[in-house]
Amino acid sequence: MAAEQMADGGGAPDRTPPARPLDSVDRAILRILQTDGRASIRAVAELVHVSRANAYARINRLVEDGVIRGFSARVNHERAGQAASAYITLKIVQNSWRTVREQLQALPGATHIALVSGDFDVLLLVHTPDNQALRELVLTRIQAIPEVLSTRTLLVFEETDLGPRPDRTAEIG
């Protein structure tokens, strides 16, 4: 948030209430839902040894507090017809983060956008049907954004999803 305010030249502070501490049951619920976002309330309650009402209330609180941002499917992009993937780094005009972010969010195939520090300002992950579509996206759409000063495209040859696994128990908390 502070980086966003700095990149945009200030602005109103975020009105999100401060985060509540997560207890071991909350962390266990998060691990379960990260592994299987389709897990039923009943299954979650049984796995964390609480009542269904308690599990339901905790999950709702985690959603309302913004800890859980949503539920989604992890997609194999190649099998879904998005065979070309790339990370694109962008240097942008100072104080243009919000404007650039809005335009990048509208791009077909954009799946992750991050404001970062270092040699470039933005890191964008895209998935396209093929290299021709990727070329068009970069040369026609992204480089046409007035606030984008330069880009660098890093092709992804192979991906490994590092989602939650039982051997990574320290991920949350």
Side-chain angles (χ1 to χ4, degrees):
M1 178 61 212
E4 184 175 341
Q5 283 182 343
M6 287 175 46
D8 287 311
D14 191 2
R15 300 286 185 231
T16 305
R20 291 186 240 186
L22 302 179
D23 64 16
S24 61
V25 174
D26 291 331
R27 289 189 298 275
I29 289 171
L30 290 173
R31 278 192 299 274
I32 292 164
L33 292 177
Q34 283 182 304
T35 303
D36 180 7
R38 293 174 41 158
S40 69
I41 297 289
R42 180 176 157 200
V44 170
E46 288 175 3
L47 289 168
V48 299
H49 310 292
V50 297
S51 70
R52 284 190 298 203
N54 189 339
Y56 182 81
R58 284 173 177 266
I59 292 170
N60 277 345
R61 189 192 80 233
L62 291 167
V63 170
E64 289 170 7
D65 286 355
V67 175
I68 295 176
R69 295 184 297 170
F71 297 87
S72 63
R74 292 194 326 244
V75 176
N76 179 327
H77 295 283
E78 190 170 334
R79 298 211 25 113
Q82 302 291 301
S85 297
Y87 286 96
I88 303 167
T89 66
L90 294 84
K91 288 186 182 181
I92 62 174
V93 172
Q94 188 174 3
N95 300 325
S96 67
W97 165 238
R98 288 187 180 152
T99 302
V100 171
R101 180 181 58 195
E102 286 176 19
Q103 294 177 70
L104 295 176
Q105 286 173 328
L107 294 175
T111 60
H112 185 85
I113 303 167
L115 177 65
V116 297
S117 64
D119 294 336
F120 49 88
D121 304 306
V122 178
L123 182 63
L124 171 68
L125 174 60
V126 298
H127 302 284
T128 61
D130 53 37
N131 283 341
Q132 179 63 33
L134 176 60
R135 180 181 182 279
E136 286 298 313
L137 182 72
V138 174
L139 297 180
T140 305
R141 303 281 301 269
I142 296 173
Q143 290 184 355
I145 298 170
E147 297 84 2
V148 172
L149 301 173
S150 67
T151 64
R152 177 171 284 165
T153 303
L154 307 165
L155 291 177
V156 174
F157 296 127
E158 184 177 317
E159 292 180 273
T160 302
D161 186 1
L162 298 178
R165 300 185 319 236
D167 62 329
R168 294 165 139 192
T169 57
E171 282 186 2
I172 301 175

